[in-house]
Amino acid sequence: MVLAWDVRGGDTIAIPRSSRPEHTLENAAADAIELTEEDLALISRDFPAPSHKMPLDME
């Protein structure tokens, strides 16, 4: 579902990593997932946008 959220607008390219063929197929199917307004509201509630600039965690 995270991949579907990431690519939902068509302006973002995601390059997921996978070491197993079945995971690669699951990742490829993310563009077929349609998130509802309720899904998006839940994601926004659980992962709110930051209120100020923050460095990316690159560990």
Side-chain angles (χ1 to χ4, degrees):
M1 185 174 320
V2 172
L3 217 49
W5 176 86
D6 189 37
V7 300
R8 75 191 184 286
D11 296 328
T12 303
I13 297 172
I15 305 172
R17 185 175 76 173
S18 177
S19 60
R20 296 176 40 195
E22 57 270 19
H23 287 164
T24 302
L25 294 173
E26 290 172 5
N27 290 340
D31 67 341
I33 297 172
E34 293 188 27
L35 299 172
T36 65
E37 290 299 321
E38 183 180 354
D39 294 331
L40 295 173
L42 288 171
I43 291 168
S44 291
R45 184 196 71 201
D46 291 344
F47 303 98
S51 59
H52 59 281
K53 288 186 178 184
M54 298 178 63
L56 293 176
D57 184 10
M58 302 294 281
E59 290 185 38

